[in-house]
């Protein structure tokens, strides 16, 4: 049975003071989170603070992006070994905001995915369709293309050590959540694609749902058989709301 996982993506939010309070409040509520693995992904500059505050806790932390390059003249970029240096477990790759605002292509996402795994961390690979793509009936085609970029270059074995996040772009930060049935259908499709290559790996990989998950809708989403938790944006910035989501799979 797959363990549920809830990861907070803080995006470009926070300050030292705000993070300190948020993490203190989340830590204080962790006793009632018994079954779920929990992680947070702050902005890069707060990884040291996050590491210091979470070091002896059950909460893992990670980054929201990474360079595919190991080192060198890449002004403004952050390398895998730097994230290792700060004890990261997870690195989000292919978030739709990176894809749409910063030109992260399927091929670049696959390179980042490979770099993260080579560095001993776990990529959280985001896939998902836009509103127009869903309206046009292309959801499966888009998700398959995004997944194939990694499968073709890294092989099915690489999926054994990653997390997949299905995040319909139209549901991210919009307050519009996919229904549990809509989300389950895509999760089952993803698992089916993986199962066609290796059923044991497909059965084992955690597939998270992301897109306006809140305390009030997490339970029904996480109850679906192929939804193994969530990647949480806005609701991860409020301790009580985030904890409610983390308790949803109990
Ligand atoms: C996200 O950014 O990954 C996300 C799911 O955001 P939100 O929960 O705010 O929709």
């Amino acid at each position: 049975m797959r363990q549920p996982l809830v990861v907070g993506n803080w995006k470009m939010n926070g300050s030292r003071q705000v993070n300190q309070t948020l993490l203190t409040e989340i830590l204080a509520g962790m006793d009632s989170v018994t079954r779920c693995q929990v992680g947070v992904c702050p902005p890069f500059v707060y990884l040291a603070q996050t590491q210091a505050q979470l070091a002896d806790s059950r909460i893992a932390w990670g980054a929201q992006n990474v360079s595919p390059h190991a080192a060198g003249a890449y002004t403004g970029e952050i390398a895998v070994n730097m994230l290792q240096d700060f004890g990261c477990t997870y690195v989000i790759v292919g978030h739709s905001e990176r894809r749409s605002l910063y030109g992260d292509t399927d091929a670049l996402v696959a390179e980042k995915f490979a770099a993260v795994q080579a560095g001993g961390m776990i990529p959280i690979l985001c896939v998902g369709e836009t509103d127009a793509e869903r309206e046009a009936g292309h959801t499966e085609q888009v998700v398959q293309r995004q997944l194939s970029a990694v499968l073709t270059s890294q092989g099915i074995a690489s999926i054994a050590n990653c997390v997949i996040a299905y995040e319909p772009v139209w549901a991210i930060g919009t307050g519009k959540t996919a229904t549990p049935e809509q989300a389950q259908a895509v999760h089952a499709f993803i698992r089916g694609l993986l199962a066609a290559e290796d059923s044991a790996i497909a059965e084992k990989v955690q597939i998270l749902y992301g897109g306006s998950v809140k305390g009030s809708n997490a339970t029904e989403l996480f109850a679906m058989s192929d939804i193994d938790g969530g990647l949480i944006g806005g609701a991860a910035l409020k301790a009580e709301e985030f904890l409610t989501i983390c308790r949803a799979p109990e």
Side-chain angles (χ1 to χ4, degrees):
M1 183 153 172
R2 295 177 296 272
Q3 194 178 358
L5 169 66
V6 168
V7 177
N9 171 16
W10 291 3
K11 311 195 189 193
M12 198 174 71
N13 293 293
S15 68
R16 280 207 283 196
Q17 185 54 56
V18 165
N19 305 342
Q20 152 90 27
T21 306
L22 177 58
L23 289 174
T24 302
E25 290 176 2
I26 294 173
L27 283 167
M30 281 299 287
D31 279 355
S32 56
V33 178
T34 53
R35 211 163 85 75
C36 192
Q37 291 179 295
V38 179
V40 295
C41 295
F44 291 130
V45 292
Y46 298 124
L47 283 171
Q49 176 190 24
T50 304
Q51 179 181 33
Q53 230 178 313
L54 298 184
D56 297 320
S57 78
R58 287 195 288 128
I59 305 176
W61 59 94
Q64 300 171 18
N65 184 34
V66 70
S67 167
H69 303 291
Y74 300 101
T75 302
E77 292 291 283
I78 300 288
V80 158
N81 70 312
M82 299 171 188
L83 301 180
Q84 284 174 302
D85 234 1
F86 288 94
C88 288
T89 297
Y90 297 107
V91 183
I92 298 171
V93 297
H95 190 280
S96 66
E97 286 151 20
R98 300 287 328 165
R99 292 178 189 265
S100 66
L101 301 173
Y102 302 102
D104 282 19
T105 60
D106 292 336
L108 179 58
V109 172
E111 277 185 64
K112 292 182 178 188
F113 180 101
V116 171
Q117 286 195 330
M121 294 176 289
I122 301 171
I124 300 178
L125 172 66
C126 299
V127 298
E129 80 288 1
T130 63
D131 206 7
E133 288 163 341
R134 175 164 281 261
E135 288 301 311
H138 294 157
T139 298
E140 294 190 351
Q141 197 182 314
V142 169
V143 166
Q144 181 160 17
R145 189 202 74 223
Q146 292 168 333
L147 209 53
S148 292
V150 169
L151 283 174
T152 308
S153 61
Q154 305 311 311
I156 184 69
S158 70
I159 301 297
N161 194 30
C162 83
V163 173
I164 295 172
Y166 168 58
E167 300 208 302
V169 180
W170 48 272
I172 296 181
T174 59
K176 236 163 97 176
T177 317
T179 64
E181 293 73 23
Q182 279 174 322
Q184 165 61 25
V186 182
H187 282 232
F189 172 71
I190 292 171
R191 210 178 294 285
L193 284 179
L194 301 174
E197 299 205 28
D198 188 313
S199 56
I201 288 176
E203 196 45 45
K204 188 174 155 275
V205 66
Q206 290 162 313
I207 308 179
L208 311 184
Y209 168 77
S212 300
V213 177
K214 303 184 276 287
S216 56
N217 60 22
T219 304
E220 53 175 14
L221 283 161
F222 299 170
M224 305 308 282
S225 58
D226 287 295
I227 301 183
D228 306 314
L231 182 57
I232 317 298
L237 301 172
K238 294 172 224 136
E240 218 20 76
E241 188 80 13
F242 186 63
L243 284 164
T244 303
I245 296 168
C246 295
R247 287 180 204 121
E250 301 299 319

